[in-house]
Amino acid sequence: MAKTLPNQLTATVFFIISSLLCLAAVESQPFSRMLSKKSLGLKREKLSHLHFYFHDIVGGKNPTAILVAQATTTNTSATGFGMVVMIDDPLTVGPEASSKLIGRAQGIYASASQIETGLLMVLNYVFVEGKYNGSTLSILGRNPVFSKVREMPIVGGSGIFRFARGYAQARTHSFDIKTGDAVVEYNVFVLHY
């Protein structure tokens, strides 16, 4: 038994040293590195202006905005606080529903204010037309819907809009008080490569 103690001690010391060496090797490998724009194929940054209409259809046989959750107090709240709506709204060239489709607004808006009707907008503009086909812009911001002009940040994008940043301005074009349907005019200003 006296001979096994040094063997156990040697094995334990070897295990500890091996573990420390492995940790040191792992820690010496960086998880990030600096890249040049050129290495990602990025060229000169551009500023684009997009103009389109967002059709939020909550009524009828084919709604594009569906209530998916609400708080127990949402129906008694003056602002609809706690309401969460999933959307797949058409984006068109003109304000008419029959106007040319250029994309879809897909995501969520939620009533996030107890004081005024203010929506949290979390959505992607998914483009299906022309040089922007397959590209997206991501919006994350506040939309105080009864303000004449609302501004929401663009926090990213994909495809032609990789590394995108900018803002979207929204103006209500029309609102049907009976159905809740709305058409919103958007001017989007976006920096991208």
Short mmCIF file of all heavy atoms in Angstrom, two decimals, residues 136-193:
data_model
loop_
_atom_site.label_atom_id
_atom_site.label_comp_id
_atom_site.label_asym_id
_atom_site.label_seq_id
_atom_site.Cartn_x
_atom_site.Cartn_y
_atom_site.Cartn_z
N THR A 136 -32.96 41.89 -46.64
CA THR A 136 -33.84 42.32 -45.55
C THR A 136 -33.24 43.52 -44.82
O THR A 136 -32.03 43.73 -44.83
CB THR A 136 -34.05 41.21 -44.50
OG1 THR A 136 -32.80 40.95 -43.83
CG2 THR A 136 -34.57 39.93 -45.12
N LEU A 137 -34.13 44.28 -44.17
CA LEU A 137 -33.75 45.32 -43.22
C LEU A 137 -34.44 45.00 -41.91
O LEU A 137 -35.63 44.64 -41.91
CB LEU A 137 -34.17 46.71 -43.71
CG LEU A 137 -33.36 47.30 -44.84
CD1 LEU A 137 -34.01 48.59 -45.34
CD2 LEU A 137 -31.93 47.57 -44.38
N SER A 138 -33.74 45.16 -40.80
CA SER A 138 -34.30 44.86 -39.48
C SER A 138 -34.58 46.15 -38.72
O SER A 138 -33.70 47.01 -38.61
CB SER A 138 -33.34 43.99 -38.67
OG SER A 138 -33.14 42.76 -39.32
N ILE A 139 -35.79 46.25 -38.19
CA ILE A 139 -36.26 47.42 -37.43
C ILE A 139 -36.47 46.99 -35.99
O ILE A 139 -37.06 45.94 -35.71
CB ILE A 139 -37.61 47.93 -37.99
CG1 ILE A 139 -37.52 48.24 -39.47
CG2 ILE A 139 -38.16 49.09 -37.18
CD1 ILE A 139 -36.70 49.42 -39.83
N LEU A 140 -36.01 47.82 -35.08
CA LEU A 140 -36.26 47.61 -33.65
C LEU A 140 -36.43 48.99 -33.04
O LEU A 140 -35.46 49.74 -32.90
CB LEU A 140 -35.10 46.87 -32.98
CG LEU A 140 -35.20 46.70 -31.47
CD1 LEU A 140 -36.42 45.89 -31.07
CD2 LEU A 140 -33.94 46.07 -30.91
N GLY A 141 -37.66 49.33 -32.70
CA GLY A 141 -37.87 50.68 -32.17
C GLY A 141 -39.28 50.92 -31.69
O GLY A 141 -40.15 50.05 -31.73
N ARG A 142 -39.50 52.16 -31.29
CA ARG A 142 -40.77 52.61 -30.73
C ARG A 142 -41.55 53.35 -31.80
O ARG A 142 -41.01 54.16 -32.54
CB ARG A 142 -40.48 53.55 -29.56
CG ARG A 142 -41.70 54.01 -28.85
CD ARG A 142 -41.31 54.80 -27.58
NE ARG A 142 -42.48 55.11 -26.80
CZ ARG A 142 -43.26 56.17 -27.03
NH1 ARG A 142 -42.97 57.00 -28.01
NH2 ARG A 142 -44.32 56.39 -26.29
N ASN A 143 -42.86 53.08 -31.85
CA ASN A 143 -43.74 53.69 -32.83
C ASN A 143 -44.94 54.31 -32.10
O ASN A 143 -45.92 53.63 -31.83
CB ASN A 143 -44.21 52.63 -33.83
CG ASN A 143 -45.10 53.19 -34.92
OD1 ASN A 143 -45.46 54.35 -34.93
ND2 ASN A 143 -45.49 52.32 -35.83
N PRO A 144 -44.87 55.60 -31.77
CA PRO A 144 -46.02 56.28 -31.16
C PRO A 144 -47.05 56.59 -32.26
O PRO A 144 -47.00 57.65 -32.90
CB PRO A 144 -45.42 57.54 -30.55
CG PRO A 144 -44.21 57.82 -31.37
CD PRO A 144 -43.73 56.48 -31.88
N VAL A 145 -47.96 55.68 -32.52
CA VAL A 145 -48.77 55.66 -33.74
C VAL A 145 -49.60 56.91 -34.01
O VAL A 145 -49.93 57.17 -35.16
CB VAL A 145 -49.67 54.40 -33.80
CG1 VAL A 145 -48.83 53.16 -33.89
CG2 VAL A 145 -50.61 54.34 -32.62
N PHE A 146 -49.93 57.70 -33.00
CA PHE A 146 -50.74 58.89 -33.25
C PHE A 146 -49.89 60.14 -33.49
O PHE A 146 -50.43 61.22 -33.72
CB PHE A 146 -51.76 59.11 -32.13
CG PHE A 146 -52.82 58.03 -32.12
CD1 PHE A 146 -53.00 57.24 -31.00
CD2 PHE A 146 -53.60 57.78 -33.24
CE1 PHE A 146 -53.96 56.23 -31.00
CE2 PHE A 146 -54.56 56.78 -33.24
CZ PHE A 146 -54.74 56.00 -32.12
N SER A 147 -48.57 60.00 -33.49
CA SER A 147 -47.70 61.11 -33.88
C SER A 147 -47.72 61.21 -35.40
O SER A 147 -47.80 60.20 -36.09
CB SER A 147 -46.27 60.88 -33.40
OG SER A 147 -46.21 60.88 -32.00
N LYS A 148 -47.63 62.44 -35.91
CA LYS A 148 -47.69 62.64 -37.36
C LYS A 148 -46.56 61.89 -38.07
O LYS A 148 -46.79 61.21 -39.06
CB LYS A 148 -47.63 64.13 -37.68
CG LYS A 148 -47.79 64.42 -39.15
CD LYS A 148 -47.81 65.91 -39.45
CE LYS A 148 -47.94 66.12 -40.95
NZ LYS A 148 -47.98 67.53 -41.29
N VAL A 149 -45.35 62.03 -37.56
CA VAL A 149 -44.19 61.33 -38.13
C VAL A 149 -43.51 60.55 -37.02
O VAL A 149 -43.27 61.07 -35.93
CB VAL A 149 -43.17 62.32 -38.74
CG1 VAL A 149 -41.95 61.58 -39.29
CG2 VAL A 149 -43.82 63.16 -39.83
N ARG A 150 -43.25 59.27 -37.28
CA ARG A 150 -42.55 58.42 -36.31
C ARG A 150 -41.23 57.97 -36.92
O ARG A 150 -41.16 57.75 -38.13
CB ARG A 150 -43.38 57.17 -35.98
CG ARG A 150 -44.59 57.46 -35.13
CD ARG A 150 -45.82 57.72 -35.94
NE ARG A 150 -46.28 56.54 -36.65
CZ ARG A 150 -47.19 56.59 -37.61
NH1 ARG A 150 -47.71 57.72 -38.00
NH2 ARG A 150 -47.59 55.49 -38.21
N GLU A 151 -40.22 57.85 -36.08
CA GLU A 151 -38.91 57.44 -36.55
C GLU A 151 -38.45 56.21 -35.78
O GLU A 151 -38.50 56.20 -34.56
CB GLU A 151 -37.92 58.59 -36.35
CG GLU A 151 -36.59 58.36 -37.01
CD GLU A 151 -35.72 59.60 -36.95
OE1 GLU A 151 -36.04 60.60 -37.62
OE2 GLU A 151 -34.72 59.54 -36.22
N MET A 152 -38.03 55.19 -36.51
CA MET A 152 -37.57 53.94 -35.90
C MET A 152 -36.20 53.58 -36.47
O MET A 152 -35.96 53.75 -37.66
CB MET A 152 -38.57 52.82 -36.18
CG MET A 152 -39.90 53.02 -35.46
SD MET A 152 -41.23 52.08 -36.20
CE MET A 152 -41.72 53.15 -37.53
N PRO A 153 -35.31 53.06 -35.63
CA PRO A 153 -33.97 52.73 -36.11
C PRO A 153 -33.92 51.43 -36.91
O PRO A 153 -34.64 50.49 -36.64
CB PRO A 153 -33.16 52.58 -34.82
CG PRO A 153 -34.15 52.34 -33.74
CD PRO A 153 -35.45 52.92 -34.19
N ILE A 154 -33.04 51.45 -37.90
CA ILE A 154 -32.68 50.23 -38.62
C ILE A 154 -31.43 49.69 -37.93
O ILE A 154 -30.44 50.40 -37.80
CB ILE A 154 -32.39 50.51 -40.10
CG1 ILE A 154 -33.67 50.98 -40.78
CG2 ILE A 154 -31.81 49.28 -40.79
CD1 ILE A 154 -33.48 51.50 -42.16
N VAL A 155 -31.51 48.46 -37.46
CA VAL A 155 -30.42 47.91 -36.65
C VAL A 155 -29.59 46.86 -37.38
O VAL A 155 -28.64 46.33 -36.83
CB VAL A 155 -30.96 47.33 -35.31
CG1 VAL A 155 -31.56 48.44 -34.47
CG2 VAL A 155 -31.98 46.22 -35.55
N GLY A 156 -29.94 46.59 -38.63
CA GLY A 156 -29.16 45.62 -39.39
C GLY A 156 -29.88 45.20 -40.65
O GLY A 156 -30.92 45.76 -40.99
N GLY A 157 -29.31 44.22 -41.31
CA GLY A 157 -29.91 43.73 -42.54
C GLY A 157 -29.16 42.54 -43.08
O GLY A 157 -28.17 42.08 -42.49
N SER A 158 -29.62 42.05 -44.21
CA SER A 158 -28.95 40.92 -44.86
C SER A 158 -28.95 41.14 -46.36
O SER A 158 -29.62 42.03 -46.87
CB SER A 158 -29.67 39.60 -44.51
OG SER A 158 -30.96 39.57 -45.09
N GLY A 159 -28.19 40.30 -47.06
CA GLY A 159 -28.08 40.44 -48.51
C GLY A 159 -27.40 41.74 -48.86
O GLY A 159 -26.33 42.06 -48.32
N ILE A 160 -28.01 42.52 -49.72
CA ILE A 160 -27.44 43.80 -50.13
C ILE A 160 -27.33 44.77 -48.96
O ILE A 160 -26.57 45.73 -49.00
CB ILE A 160 -28.27 44.40 -51.30
CG1 ILE A 160 -27.38 45.08 -52.30
CG2 ILE A 160 -29.34 45.34 -50.83
CD1 ILE A 160 -28.09 45.43 -53.60
N PHE A 161 -28.09 44.51 -47.89
CA PHE A 161 -28.11 45.39 -46.72
C PHE A 161 -27.27 44.87 -45.54
O PHE A 161 -27.52 45.25 -44.39
CB PHE A 161 -29.55 45.63 -46.27
CG PHE A 161 -30.38 46.38 -47.26
CD1 PHE A 161 -31.52 45.80 -47.80
CD2 PHE A 161 -30.02 47.65 -47.68
CE1 PHE A 161 -32.29 46.50 -48.71
CE2 PHE A 161 -30.78 48.34 -48.61
CZ PHE A 161 -31.93 47.76 -49.12
N ARG A 162 -26.27 44.05 -45.81
CA ARG A 162 -25.37 43.64 -44.71
C ARG A 162 -24.75 44.87 -44.08
O ARG A 162 -24.41 45.82 -44.77
CB ARG A 162 -24.26 42.75 -45.25
CG ARG A 162 -24.73 41.37 -45.60
CD ARG A 162 -23.54 40.52 -46.02
NE ARG A 162 -24.03 39.28 -46.57
CZ ARG A 162 -23.52 38.69 -47.64
NH1 ARG A 162 -22.49 39.21 -48.26
NH2 ARG A 162 -24.04 37.57 -48.08
N PHE A 163 -24.61 44.85 -42.78
CA PHE A 163 -24.04 45.95 -42.00
C PHE A 163 -24.88 47.22 -42.10
O PHE A 163 -24.38 48.33 -41.91
CB PHE A 163 -22.59 46.25 -42.42
CG PHE A 163 -21.64 45.14 -42.11
CD1 PHE A 163 -21.20 44.27 -43.11
CD2 PHE A 163 -21.18 44.94 -40.82
CE1 PHE A 163 -20.32 43.24 -42.83
CE2 PHE A 163 -20.30 43.92 -40.54
CZ PHE A 163 -19.88 43.07 -41.54
N ALA A 164 -26.17 47.09 -42.40
CA ALA A 164 -27.03 48.25 -42.57
C ALA A 164 -27.26 48.97 -41.25
O ALA A 164 -27.29 48.37 -40.18
CB ALA A 164 -28.38 47.82 -43.15
N ARG A 165 -27.43 50.30 -41.38
CA ARG A 165 -27.85 51.12 -40.26
C ARG A 165 -28.56 52.34 -40.85
O ARG A 165 -28.28 52.74 -41.97
CB ARG A 165 -26.69 51.52 -39.37
CG ARG A 165 -25.66 52.39 -40.02
CD ARG A 165 -24.42 52.52 -39.12
NE ARG A 165 -23.48 53.51 -39.59
CZ ARG A 165 -22.66 53.36 -40.60
NH1 ARG A 165 -22.65 52.22 -41.27
NH2 ARG A 165 -21.83 54.31 -40.95
N GLY A 166 -29.48 52.90 -40.08
CA GLY A 166 -30.21 54.05 -40.58
C GLY A 166 -31.50 54.22 -39.80
O GLY A 166 -31.59 53.84 -38.62
N TYR A 167 -32.51 54.76 -40.48
CA TYR A 167 -33.79 54.96 -39.81
C TYR A 167 -34.93 54.91 -40.82
O TYR A 167 -34.74 55.12 -42.01
CB TYR A 167 -33.80 56.27 -39.02
CG TYR A 167 -33.69 57.52 -39.85
CD1 TYR A 167 -34.83 58.24 -40.23
CD2 TYR A 167 -32.45 57.99 -40.28
CE1 TYR A 167 -34.73 59.38 -40.99
CE2 TYR A 167 -32.35 59.14 -41.03
CZ TYR A 167 -33.49 59.84 -41.40
OH TYR A 167 -33.39 60.97 -42.15
N ALA A 168 -36.11 54.62 -40.29
CA ALA A 168 -37.32 54.58 -41.08
C ALA A 168 -38.28 55.61 -40.52
O ALA A 168 -38.49 55.67 -39.31
CB ALA A 168 -37.95 53.19 -41.03
N GLN A 169 -38.84 56.44 -41.40
CA GLN A 169 -39.86 57.39 -41.00
C GLN A 169 -41.21 56.88 -41.46
O GLN A 169 -41.37 56.52 -42.63
CB GLN A 169 -39.63 58.76 -41.64
CG GLN A 169 -38.51 59.54 -41.02
CD GLN A 169 -38.40 60.93 -41.63
OE1 GLN A 169 -38.81 61.17 -42.76
NE2 GLN A 169 -37.81 61.84 -40.86
N ALA A 170 -42.18 56.87 -40.54
CA ALA A 170 -43.52 56.38 -40.84
C ALA A 170 -44.52 57.53 -40.71
O ALA A 170 -44.45 58.32 -39.78
CB ALA A 170 -43.89 55.26 -39.90
N ARG A 171 -45.45 57.58 -41.67
CA ARG A 171 -46.58 58.52 -41.63
C ARG A 171 -47.83 57.74 -41.98
O ARG A 171 -47.87 57.06 -43.01
CB ARG A 171 -46.40 59.63 -42.67
CG ARG A 171 -45.33 60.63 -42.38
CD ARG A 171 -45.23 61.67 -43.52
NE ARG A 171 -44.24 62.68 -43.24
CZ ARG A 171 -42.94 62.55 -43.46
NH1 ARG A 171 -42.48 61.43 -43.95
NH2 ARG A 171 -42.11 63.52 -43.17
N THR A 172 -48.87 57.87 -41.18
CA THR A 172 -50.12 57.16 -41.47
C THR A 172 -50.75 57.79 -42.71
O THR A 172 -51.01 58.99 -42.74
CB THR A 172 -51.09 57.22 -40.28
OG1 THR A 172 -50.43 56.63 -39.15
CG2 THR A 172 -52.38 56.47 -40.57
N HIS A 173 -50.98 56.96 -43.72
CA HIS A 173 -51.63 57.42 -44.95
C HIS A 173 -53.15 57.33 -44.79
O HIS A 173 -53.87 58.25 -45.16
CB HIS A 173 -51.15 56.56 -46.14
CG HIS A 173 -51.84 56.89 -47.42
ND1 HIS A 173 -51.52 58.00 -48.16
CD2 HIS A 173 -52.84 56.26 -48.09
CE1 HIS A 173 -52.29 58.04 -49.23
NE2 HIS A 173 -53.08 56.99 -49.21
N SER A 174 -53.61 56.19 -44.24
CA SER A 174 -55.04 56.02 -43.99
C SER A 174 -55.25 55.05 -42.85
O SER A 174 -54.42 54.17 -42.60
CB SER A 174 -55.76 55.53 -45.25
OG SER A 174 -55.30 54.25 -45.62
N PHE A 175 -56.36 55.23 -42.14
CA PHE A 175 -56.73 54.34 -41.03
C PHE A 175 -58.24 54.18 -41.03
O PHE A 175 -58.97 55.17 -41.04
CB PHE A 175 -56.26 54.93 -39.70
CG PHE A 175 -56.66 54.10 -38.50
CD1 PHE A 175 -56.07 52.86 -38.27
CD2 PHE A 175 -57.64 54.55 -37.63
CE1 PHE A 175 -56.45 52.09 -37.19
CE2 PHE A 175 -58.02 53.78 -36.53
CZ PHE A 175 -57.42 52.55 -36.32
N ASP A 176 -58.70 52.93 -41.07
CA ASP A 176 -60.13 52.62 -41.06
C ASP A 176 -60.55 52.32 -39.63
O ASP A 176 -60.18 51.26 -39.09
CB ASP A 176 -60.42 51.44 -41.98
CG ASP A 176 -61.89 51.14 -42.13
OD1 ASP A 176 -62.67 51.36 -41.17
OD2 ASP A 176 -62.28 50.66 -43.22
N ILE A 177 -61.27 53.22 -39.01
CA ILE A 177 -61.66 53.09 -37.60
C ILE A 177 -62.55 51.86 -37.38
O ILE A 177 -62.51 51.25 -36.31
CB ILE A 177 -62.33 54.38 -37.09
CG1 ILE A 177 -62.41 54.40 -35.57
CG2 ILE A 177 -63.70 54.58 -37.68
CD1 ILE A 177 -61.15 54.81 -34.91
N LYS A 178 -63.33 51.45 -38.39
CA LYS A 178 -64.23 50.30 -38.25
C LYS A 178 -63.47 48.98 -38.25
O LYS A 178 -63.75 48.09 -37.44
CB LYS A 178 -65.27 50.29 -39.37
CG LYS A 178 -66.27 51.42 -39.27
CD LYS A 178 -67.24 51.37 -40.43
CE LYS A 178 -68.15 52.59 -40.39
NZ LYS A 178 -68.99 52.69 -41.59
N THR A 179 -62.51 48.82 -39.17
CA THR A 179 -61.81 47.54 -39.30
C THR A 179 -60.49 47.51 -38.55
O THR A 179 -59.97 46.45 -38.23
CB THR A 179 -61.52 47.22 -40.78
OG1 THR A 179 -60.63 48.22 -41.29
CG2 THR A 179 -62.80 47.16 -41.60
N GLY A 180 -59.90 48.69 -38.32
CA GLY A 180 -58.57 48.76 -37.72
C GLY A 180 -57.45 48.65 -38.74
O GLY A 180 -56.27 48.72 -38.39
N ASP A 181 -57.81 48.52 -40.02
CA ASP A 181 -56.81 48.42 -41.08
C ASP A 181 -56.11 49.77 -41.26
O ASP A 181 -56.75 50.83 -41.15
CB ASP A 181 -57.45 48.01 -42.40
CG ASP A 181 -58.02 46.60 -42.38
OD1 ASP A 181 -57.82 45.89 -41.37
OD2 ASP A 181 -58.68 46.23 -43.36
N ALA A 182 -54.82 49.72 -41.56
CA ALA A 182 -54.06 50.95 -41.75
C ALA A 182 -53.10 50.80 -42.93
O ALA A 182 -52.61 49.71 -43.21
CB ALA A 182 -53.26 51.28 -40.50
N VAL A 183 -52.87 51.92 -43.60
CA VAL A 183 -51.84 52.00 -44.63
C VAL A 183 -50.87 53.08 -44.15
O VAL A 183 -51.28 54.20 -43.84
CB VAL A 183 -52.42 52.37 -46.01
CG1 VAL A 183 -51.30 52.52 -47.04
CG2 VAL A 183 -53.42 51.31 -46.46
N VAL A 184 -49.59 52.72 -44.07
CA VAL A 184 -48.57 53.62 -43.54
C VAL A 184 -47.52 53.84 -44.61
O VAL A 184 -47.01 52.89 -45.22
CB VAL A 184 -47.92 53.03 -42.26
CG1 VAL A 184 -46.86 53.96 -41.73
CG2 VAL A 184 -48.99 52.74 -41.21
N GLU A 185 -47.20 55.11 -44.85
CA GLU A 185 -46.16 55.48 -45.80
C GLU A 185 -44.81 55.45 -45.08
O GLU A 185 -44.68 56.02 -43.99
CB GLU A 185 -46.42 56.88 -46.34
CG GLU A 185 -45.37 57.35 -47.32
CD GLU A 185 -45.61 58.77 -47.81
OE1 GLU A 185 -46.41 59.51 -47.18
OE2 GLU A 185 -44.99 59.13 -48.81
N TYR A 186 -43.83 54.79 -45.69
CA TYR A 186 -42.49 54.71 -45.11
C TYR A 186 -41.46 55.34 -46.04
O TYR A 186 -41.47 55.10 -47.25
CB TYR A 186 -42.08 53.25 -44.87
CG TYR A 186 -42.53 52.72 -43.53
CD1 TYR A 186 -43.79 52.17 -43.36
CD2 TYR A 186 -41.69 52.80 -42.42
CE1 TYR A 186 -44.20 51.71 -42.12
CE2 TYR A 186 -42.09 52.33 -41.20
CZ TYR A 186 -43.35 51.79 -41.05
OH TYR A 186 -43.76 51.33 -39.82
N ASN A 187 -40.59 56.15 -45.46
CA ASN A 187 -39.36 56.62 -46.09
C ASN A 187 -38.22 56.04 -45.27
O ASN A 187 -38.14 56.28 -44.06
CB ASN A 187 -39.29 58.14 -46.10
CG ASN A 187 -40.13 58.72 -47.20
OD1 ASN A 187 -39.79 58.58 -48.37
ND2 ASN A 187 -41.25 59.34 -46.86
N VAL A 188 -37.38 55.26 -45.91
CA VAL A 188 -36.30 54.56 -45.22
C VAL A 188 -34.97 55.09 -45.76
O VAL A 188 -34.76 55.13 -46.97
CB VAL A 188 -36.41 53.04 -45.43
CG1 VAL A 188 -35.24 52.32 -44.78
CG2 VAL A 188 -37.74 52.52 -44.89
N PHE A 189 -34.11 55.48 -44.83
CA PHE A 189 -32.78 55.99 -45.18
C PHE A 189 -31.78 55.03 -44.56
O PHE A 189 -31.73 54.88 -43.34
CB PHE A 189 -32.59 57.40 -44.66
CG PHE A 189 -33.65 58.35 -45.18
CD1 PHE A 189 -34.83 58.56 -44.49
CD2 PHE A 189 -33.46 58.99 -46.40
CE1 PHE A 189 -35.80 59.41 -44.98
CE2 PHE A 189 -34.44 59.84 -46.91
CZ PHE A 189 -35.61 60.05 -46.19
N VAL A 190 -30.98 54.37 -45.41
CA VAL A 190 -30.13 53.29 -44.90
C VAL A 190 -28.72 53.37 -45.50
O VAL A 190 -28.56 53.55 -46.70
CB VAL A 190 -30.78 51.91 -45.16
CG1 VAL A 190 -31.00 51.65 -46.63
CG2 VAL A 190 -29.97 50.79 -44.55
N LEU A 191 -27.73 53.28 -44.62
CA LEU A 191 -26.33 53.16 -45.02
C LEU A 191 -26.01 51.68 -45.11
O LEU A 191 -26.36 50.91 -44.21
CB LEU A 191 -25.41 53.81 -44.00
CG LEU A 191 -25.35 55.34 -44.03
CD1 LEU A 191 -24.69 55.86 -42.77
CD2 LEU A 191 -24.61 55.82 -45.25
N HIS A 192 -25.37 51.27 -46.20
CA HIS A 192 -25.01 49.86 -46.38
C HIS A 192 -23.86 49.78 -47.37
O HIS A 192 -23.52 50.76 -48.03
CB HIS A 192 -26.22 49.05 -46.85
CG HIS A 192 -26.77 49.53 -48.16
ND1 HIS A 192 -26.42 48.96 -49.36
CD2 HIS A 192 -27.64 50.53 -48.47
CE1 HIS A 192 -27.06 49.57 -50.34
NE2 HIS A 192 -27.80 50.55 -49.83
N TYR A 193 -23.28 48.59 -47.48
CA TYR A 193 -22.17 48.38 -48.41
C TYR A 193 -22.67 47.78 -49.70
O TYR A 193 -23.69 47.23 -49.82
CB TYR A 193 -21.12 47.45 -47.78
CG TYR A 193 -20.36 48.16 -46.68
CD1 TYR A 193 -20.76 48.02 -45.36
CD2 TYR A 193 -19.29 48.96 -46.97
CE1 TYR A 193 -20.08 48.68 -44.35
CE2 TYR A 193 -18.59 49.62 -45.96
CZ TYR A 193 -19.01 49.48 -44.66
OH TYR A 193 -18.34 50.12 -43.66
#
